[in-house]
């Protein structure tokens, strides 16, 4: 193997695949990155066995030569050292050559590194995936969907399936649901060219967070292909594979109340800042619980109280309060997560009494629903 | 106590005193910040008993009213909560009132916090300091002096006096020396209006690092007053006290070679980047040691070798090499620290043989000297 490549392009491709490489990898070969070069270009692969990322740098792009391949081949190089070396090379011209079986030379300017590689045949094969269950979503929309739901997954392994986001394709719609059994986020997205079959998969939250870091904020379509054990996201020259979580995702539709007793319309950003202040004194002793009270007029009172430190009370103006008076307590963190997901718009919060879950939505848009279970304090 | 203050001014003053407050304070009262208000303005004090910082916000500045004091007084408030609360208040108008002895109310917009304060009489008094041993240095110069020396202090407590920087005032000159017995940094500064006496104190490295964060990068003078146990830096409205280290600082002048065998002049930035690359493979196994070789011609070879991972070799062009051929090994970290302190200028490195300390200086400027002890590998 011997080729020349522009350092900036190699850095870009490497920084994507590095997101799949874990510093705690237990399988030795997965501490490495696989390089394969031929006349087409360079493929880089990184994996932690849950996530596999494969990027491609073409030999030529828009008439510009990016890679000059003198001799094709493949090698696995220690991810940590290889990426740091490339980042610090003195010039933009990089030559990589494998000689004497696994001896790898990285040359740039007057600098020459010799790394001991591993045999590329020992690197795991890419996950197999059938190409039949396929649809596409614009990249920026996919990022929004991930951001609006993934924060609500469970961080506890007691019910592993809840550490993932449930993706269901049905009737031309993608429904994404995440819950840790204290709060829930549900996002519905109408699909263009939706597949006719019904799909139901659970994607690990961690995979979606890593995918989100790689996706560009552009309208270019991201291809999504599902199999029984894997999902593949294809964005430009990047392939992102994730294993799926096994087990049945619970039916969450029963959680969402069908009747409401109090509707409050309020500016999301104002409420977020107020909850943030109230949570300052609620963090340690009181498990981050704040109180929320609507008793006549157009204002709600947010408060919290920590006997050791002090208390805080605040009035927040609303656009309208309809229905019964209300006293309810909830986790400030869950409320802030939900308000951040909806983003600073005017929102409506619908309550069904102080001991029942309540939901938050944008007043303009019905696609995203956030649900929170209250905490008993009154 | 009752007064109104502009939130942005309170935040600025708080962020300075917060640098003295340790989250691990063992003395309960030192987890707090002392507020004292009178017709002159507001004084804030924070301390971890090693460092004490006191800031002042005047009632009026340039004809603008910053504080309206209705009732003078003092209180100690939990630093962590108070600073977070102030930072998140909804408006720039803040009212702080102490009622019922220690009950403190913080009001802004429609938000009201109640904190339980502590008695200001329980807060330690400011260190006593005589005003006679005094001189001044422009703030930006003081920052430079700190940056050029403080990194070289010892991090080990085995010889506590080496965790500080030795400041000596003598013959109209300030000489600052730091060493961890493997490397040394020495900076000489000619003083205007220097005091006639000789002073010699050792300031904890940690204190100087915190001071550096507070000082503005301006030419305004910083007053420096030394006593036997304390040093006081006075910059505008900020007073910064640090305790001094006890014990005799070693005489380091004998460490600096008087004769040299090889002089190498080279661009500091180029050399820094080359050492940085060589250290990539030297970090874990080889205690960060790189080799440096000058054998004829105008280039030096930088290399390192890690049997498990690989090796690196690099040639660096110099401006000139005078004297004997040289093979020497040293800590890449110490070399990079020294080169960063001198900053990207052309530098001269003066060697006295492969087993003797060597020194680095700027070619233009003799005020700063960096010395490094080599490591035996050849």
């Amino acid at each position: 193997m011997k080729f020349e490549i522009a350092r900036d392009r190699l850095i870009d491709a490497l920084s994507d695949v590095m997101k799949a490489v874990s510093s705690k990898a237990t399988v030795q070969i997965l501490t490495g990155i696989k390089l394969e070069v031929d006349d087409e270009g360079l493929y880089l692969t990184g994996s932690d066995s849950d996530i596999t990322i494969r990027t491609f740098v073409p030999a030529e792009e828009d008439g510009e030569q990016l890679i000059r391949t003198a001799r094709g081949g493949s090698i696995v190089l220690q991810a940590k050292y290889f990426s740091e070396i490339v980042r610090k090379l003195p010039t933009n011209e990089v030559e990589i050559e494998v000689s004497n079986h696994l001896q790898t030379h990285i040359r740039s300017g007057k600098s020459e590194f010799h790394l001991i590689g591993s045999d590329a045949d020992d690197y795991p094969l890419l996950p197999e995936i059938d190409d039949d269950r396929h649809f596409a979503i614009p990249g920026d929309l996919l990022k929004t969907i991930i951001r609006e739901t993934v924060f609500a997954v469970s961080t506890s392994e007691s019910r592993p399936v809840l550490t993932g986001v449930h993706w269901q394709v049905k009737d031309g719609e993608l429904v994404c649901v995440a819950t840790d059994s204290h709060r829930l986020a549900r996002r519905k997205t109408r699909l263009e060219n939706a597949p006719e079959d019904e799909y139901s998969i659970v994607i690990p939250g961690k995979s979606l967070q890593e995918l989100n870091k790689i996706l560009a904020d552009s309208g270019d379509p991201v291809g999504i292909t599902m199999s029984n054990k894997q999902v593949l996201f294809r964005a430009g020259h990047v392939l992102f594979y994730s294993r799926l979580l096994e087990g049945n995702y619970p039916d969450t539709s029963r959680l969402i109340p069908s009747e409401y007793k109090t509707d409050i319309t309020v500016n999301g950003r104002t409420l977020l800042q107020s909850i943030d202040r109230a949570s300052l004194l609620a963090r340690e002793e009181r498990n981050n619980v704040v109180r929320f009270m609507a008793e006549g007029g157009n204002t709600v009172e947010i408060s919290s109280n920590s006997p050791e430190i002090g208390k805080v009370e605040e009035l927040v103006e609303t656009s309208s309060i309809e229905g019964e008076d209300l006293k309810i307590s909830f986790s400030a963190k869950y409320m802030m997560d939900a308000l951040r997901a909806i983003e600073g718009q005017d929102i409506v919060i619908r309550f069904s009494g102080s001991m029942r879950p309540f939901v938050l939505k944008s007043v303009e848009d019905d696609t995203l629903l956030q649900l929170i279970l209250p905490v008993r304090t009154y």
Side-chain angles (χ1 to χ4, degrees), chain A:
Chain A
M1 182 172 111
K2 184 175 180 182
F3 67 100
E4 285 171 47
I5 183 169
R7 187 179 67 120
D8 47 5
R9 294 303 292 254
L10 184 54
I11 288 175
D12 289 349
L14 259 175
S15 82
D16 282 345
V17 291
M18 282 298 284
K19 295 198 171 61
V21 180
S22 164
S23 56
K24 291 174 243 155
T26 46
V27 185
Q28 177 60 27
I29 193 93
L30 293 185
T31 61
I33 282 177
K34 183 161 84 162
L35 289 80
E36 300 160 89
V37 72
D38 60 21
D39 290 339
E40 301 291 311
L42 170 70
Y43 296 88
L44 297 177
T45 311
S47 176
D48 67 357
S49 75
D50 284 347
I51 300 172
T52 300
I53 302 175
R54 183 177 167 93
T55 60
F56 174 65
V57 183
E60 200 188 300
E61 192 180 69
D62 302 333
E64 190 192 351
Q65 184 101 11
L66 301 177
I67 297 177
R68 258 175 255 274
T69 305
R71 199 166 64 243
S74 57
I75 189 81
V76 175
L77 297 177
Q78 289 277 312
K80 191 178 101 186
Y81 293 106
F82 182 55
S83 66
E84 283 200 71
I85 287 169
V86 169
R87 226 170 286 276
K88 294 191 169 171
L89 288 175
T91 75
N92 201 38
E93 281 88 56
V94 181
E95 183 183 79
I96 298 179
E97 177 177 6
V98 178
S99 65
N100 282 336
H101 196 41
L102 302 171
Q103 279 288 342
T104 308
H105 309 271
I106 305 165
R107 301 186 189 97
S108 178
K110 288 186 175 164
S111 180
E112 173 159 3
F113 285 82
H114 312 262
L115 283 186
I116 302 152
S118 303
D119 195 329
D121 291 341
D122 295 338
Y123 199 87
L125 296 175
L126 286 177
E128 276 185 46
I129 205 151
D130 301 331
D131 228 355
D132 56 339
R133 301 200 289 175
H134 181 88
F135 62 101
I137 301 181
D140 46 6
L141 176 58
L142 180 55
K143 281 177 83 80
T144 301
I145 294 170
I146 293 173
R147 188 183 58 75
E148 288 173 344
T149 52
V150 74
F151 67 88
V153 300
S154 172
T155 53
S156 146
E157 284 294 332
S158 60
R159 286 184 72 189
V161 78
L162 295 188
T163 64
V165 181
H166 186 209
W167 281 36
Q168 250 187 318
V169 178
K170 199 176 166 181
D171 305 331
E173 201 174 48
L174 169 68
V175 182
C176 301
V177 173
T179 181
D180 60 5
S181 64
H182 303 291
R183 40 92 176 261
L184 174 148
R186 187 189 70 192
R187 158 82 194 209
K188 294 183 176 180
T189 310
R190 189 132 294 279
L191 298 177
E192 291 175 32
N193 305 314
E196 291 201 359
D197 300 354
E198 291 185 12
Y199 310 149
S200 169
I201 62 174
V202 184
I203 307 174
K206 190 177 163 296
S207 299
L208 291 169
Q209 276 154 352
E210 293 303 326
L211 174 64
N212 207 19
K213 292 180 196 160
I214 287 182
L215 291 174
D217 218 346
S218 86
D220 293 343
V222 176
I224 302 171
T225 312
M226 299 168 176
S227 77
N228 288 329
K229 303 211 161 177
Q230 292 278 337
V231 58
L232 164 62
F233 297 89
R234 189 188 302 259
H237 286 311
V238 180
L239 301 184
F240 184 104
Y241 295 83
S242 170
R243 78 177 171 95
L244 300 176
L245 291 174
E246 290 174 24
N248 289 322
Y249 200 83
D251 177 12
T252 53
S253 60
R254 291 166 307 164
L255 266 176
I256 299 162
S258 50
E259 285 175 26
Y260 299 98
K261 296 180 179 166
T262 316
D263 278 10
I264 298 178
T265 306
V266 61
N267 179 271
R269 183 178 302 275
T270 307
L271 183 60
L272 174 60
Q273 289 169 349
S274 170
I275 301 282
D276 192 12
R277 280 189 288 274
S279 82
L280 285 177
L281 299 189
R283 257 184 233 161
E284 281 160 31
E285 290 178 47
R286 291 183 44 74
N287 206 16
N288 215 357
V289 172
V290 299
R291 274 177 289 187
F292 182 101
M293 210 160 63
E295 294 184 311
N298 263 335
T299 57
V300 292
E301 184 187 291
I302 317 283
S303 62
S304 78
N305 182 7
S306 165
E308 294 278 304
I309 307 157
K311 60 180 176 172
V312 50
E313 293 145 10
E314 179 159 340
L315 296 179
V316 175
E317 299 273 350
T318 69
S319 307
S320 74
I321 301 180
E322 288 165 33
E324 298 180 4
D325 284 358
L326 177 82
K327 278 186 182 179
I328 194 167
S329 297
F330 46 76
S331 153
K333 178 179 184 308
Y334 291 168
M335 188 59 148
M336 289 194 283
D337 284 348
L339 289 168
R340 284 198 194 99
I342 304 178
E343 278 189 315
Q345 314 157 52
D346 268 2
I347 58 152
V348 56
I349 318 180
R350 313 193 72 185
F351 298 91
S352 313
S354 66
M355 295 315 300
R356 299 273 300 145
F358 58 93
V359 304
L360 295 89
K361 291 183 185 189
S362 162
V363 293
E364 290 137 22
D365 175 6
D366 220 31
T367 56
L368 178 63
L369 172 145
Q370 301 285 345
L371 174 143
I372 296 172
L373 272 69
V375 175
R376 187 193 300 260
T377 58
Y378 285 104

